[in-house]
Amino acid sequence: MVEAGVAAERITKHTGAEQKLLWTAGVLLAVCVAIYVLIPIVIAVVTSFSDGNLLRFPVTAWSVRWYRDFFSSPQYVDALFNSVVIAVGATALSTLAGTAAAWAITQHSMAGRKILSLLILLPLFMPGVVLGLGVAVTFGNVQIFGHDIFGSRFLVILSHALWGMPLVFMLMETAFISLDRSTLEASSDLGAGPHLTFFEIVLPEVSVALLSSALFAFVISINEFYMALFLTTRDTQTLPVLMWLALRSAGTPRLAVAAVILLTVVLLSLMVILFGYSRSLRTKKKPTVQ
């Protein structure tokens, strides 16, 4: 018995040491990844305040003149406007289509449901150059009411939705699967129709997932480059496309300013998502008053 107790104590100590080692290794890895991610972000932010005429690091003189230059440039302001309009349109289309597809697949048994889900997710695994070239060739000579689709914001919105919709579908499918079926059945038993149940019961329950998926689609669209490069013209080019063209001709700190603006959009979106999830968790933890 004594020997067994000693052996058990040694095993416990050994297991505890392994757990501490794994925890330390995990923390070090997380810190290294965080530093690796933060370094280019910090450099971009610092460079945007440079007073020089070239995009160089380290910064020797400080100024905000490139921020004034950015917002006084019609070309960059128009590109930012195009990016926002396209991102909003792609987000709306992706959210509507992805949510509808996820609801249909999770609530109805249909033949080939797995194949259909795979087809919806397929654009996520396709290179942007492939999608961009394919869309450009497909709609290159198509006109609607005498207007060319190629080079329009509408075509870029459709293209960005190819990536946004599968992401929304994937997140909303998980949210719909986790719904409490008894609540839906109770709503139906009380006489509520499918539409009323969906808008009054389902949507409030999945509101956080819906907001998160929409913001993820927005972030993907506003930062997308490859498809926009194939599909935009000088009048409809987005900010990432303009940044790439400007970098080839003259790399000024104005590019860093554009990068900071895109970074700010991403960070604000992530903050909204985190706020939504934290608020949802606090709501679920509140005790129910009898």
Side-chain angles (χ1 to χ4, degrees), residues 36-196:
Y36 178 74
V37 172
L38 287 175
I39 285 177
I41 295 176
V42 172
I43 290 178
V45 173
V46 170
T47 308
S48 68
F49 292 98
S50 173
D51 192 43
N53 295 321
L54 296 176
L55 190 65
R56 289 179 177 177
F57 186 83
V59 175
T60 56
W62 302 88
S63 174
V64 294
R65 73 182 181 99
W66 290 108
Y67 281 88
R68 294 193 298 266
D69 181 83
F70 179 93
F71 288 104
S72 62
S73 171
Q75 188 179 20
Y76 275 85
V77 172
D78 289 344
L80 178 60
F81 177 76
N82 289 333
S83 294
V84 173
V85 171
I86 290 171
V88 170
T91 299
L93 180 59
S94 300
T95 304
L96 289 174
T99 302
W103 179 251
I105 287 180
T106 56
Q107 300 303 313
H108 302 283
S109 299
M110 60 182 72
R113 182 171 59 178
K114 293 183 178 180
I115 296 178
L116 182 59
S117 299
L118 181 61
L119 289 176
I120 294 175
L121 295 176
L122 185 60
L124 284 177
F125 305 97
M126 299 295 293
V129 290
V130 175
L131 292 177
L133 180 61
V135 173
V137 173
T138 302
F139 293 94
N141 297 318
V142 177
Q143 292 184 339
I144 296 180
F145 302 113
H147 297 281
D148 292 330
I149 294 182
F150 182 81
S152 65
R153 297 192 190 104
F154 176 71
L155 183 59
V156 186
I157 288 173
L158 292 178
S159 303
H160 285 186
L162 287 174
W163 273 349
M165 186 187 68
L167 181 60
V168 174
F169 171 80
M170 185 169 55
L171 294 175
M172 294 308 299
E173 183 183 28
T174 303
F176 288 144
I177 291 175
S178 62
L179 283 174
D180 186 1
R181 304 296 305 178
S182 61
T183 304
L184 303 182
E185 294 173 358
S187 176
S188 179
D189 293 339
L190 292 174
H195 294 87
L196 182 61

Side-chain angles (χ1 to χ4, degrees), residues 248-272:
R248 297 187 63 187
S249 57
T252 65
R254 184 164 50 184
L255 294 176
V257 174
V260 170
I261 292 174
L262 293 177
L263 173 64
T264 302
V265 172
V266 173
L267 293 179
L268 288 176
S269 300
L270 292 177
M271 288 175 62
V272 172

